[in-house]
Amino acid sequence: HFRATTLDHPIIMGRATWDATPELDRRPAYVATRADHREFRKAAAKAFAAISNDPLALAATCLKLHPEGAYVIGGRQILDLLLPYCTDAIVTTLNQRTPVSDEHAVTYAPAIPTGWTREDAGGDAYTHPCGYTITRHVNPAPLPLPVITDPTRKEENKDA
């Protein structure tokens, strides 16, 4: 479901999600990080569309270049920050406890805010036989992102 939904759309994520995710073909990646941009560029083993230490400016630039929309895929800090600006959220919920070994970090997405409406295709959530449910929640009043005057800048705040 994730691949089919995000294919040919930009994705916005934090640095830890970037590090933990394989290269995603046909999805330009916009990465928010506090790391030194020059060091990040040298160490990056995968291609990315833009990098910034300001997630709001990064999202605004992404949407200026891709007005059809983008997907925010994590991590927790990016979701906490950008969720109020999103028009909707597609949520995958595991219906069973999954054992996690000590070497793997687990981050839980924030709760959908009060006031968002749940919209399920056909009136029911899609439940996959492997034990997860996918639901869509709509934000009735997304906040506007800051205005970016030069969307051709690939790197915001590069010297910050």
Side-chain angles (χ1 to χ4, degrees):
H1 183 265
F2 176 82
R3 185 178 198 288
T5 302
T6 61
L7 198 61
D8 295 320
H9 295 282
I11 51 178
I12 301 169
M13 69 189 87
R15 171 68 184 269
T17 302
W18 165 263
D19 289 341
T21 306
E23 188 158 6
L24 301 171
D25 61 321
R26 295 173 40 199
R27 287 164 277 197
Y30 289 76
V31 183
T33 181
R34 289 183 289 270
D36 179 274
H37 292 242
R38 290 171 296 267
E39 293 302 315
F40 179 82
R41 286 185 186 283
K42 287 180 198 173
K46 303 174 283 190
F48 57 87
I51 180 175
S52 176
N53 59 8
D54 180 346
L56 287 175
L58 184 72
T61 297
C62 174
L63 291 176
K64 188 84 167 180
L65 294 170
H66 304 277
E68 71 282 1
Y71 290 93
V72 180
I73 65 170
R76 176 65 190 251
Q77 291 176 355
I78 298 301
L79 289 170
D80 282 339
L81 181 66
L82 294 181
L83 194 58
Y85 298 89
C86 293
T87 57
D88 60 321
I90 300 169
V91 179
T92 303
T93 304
L94 298 177
N95 299 328
Q96 58 192 8
R97 290 296 240 168
T98 303
V100 178
S101 61
D102 290 340
E103 70 265 10
H104 293 93
V106 174
T107 300
Y108 295 96
I112 297 297
T114 304
W116 287 46
T117 57
R118 180 175 161 161
E119 293 186 358
D120 301 320
D124 294 318
Y126 169 73
T127 301
H128 191 275
C130 290
Y132 60 87
T133 303
I134 299 170
T135 55
R136 181 173 178 259
H137 304 263
V138 178
N139 183 352
L143 297 175
L145 283 166
V147 175
I148 301 296
T149 55
D150 184 6
T152 59
R153 280 188 65 192
K154 294 275 184 186
E155 187 175 309
E156 295 292 325
N157 304 322
K158 68 179 181 178
D159 295 321

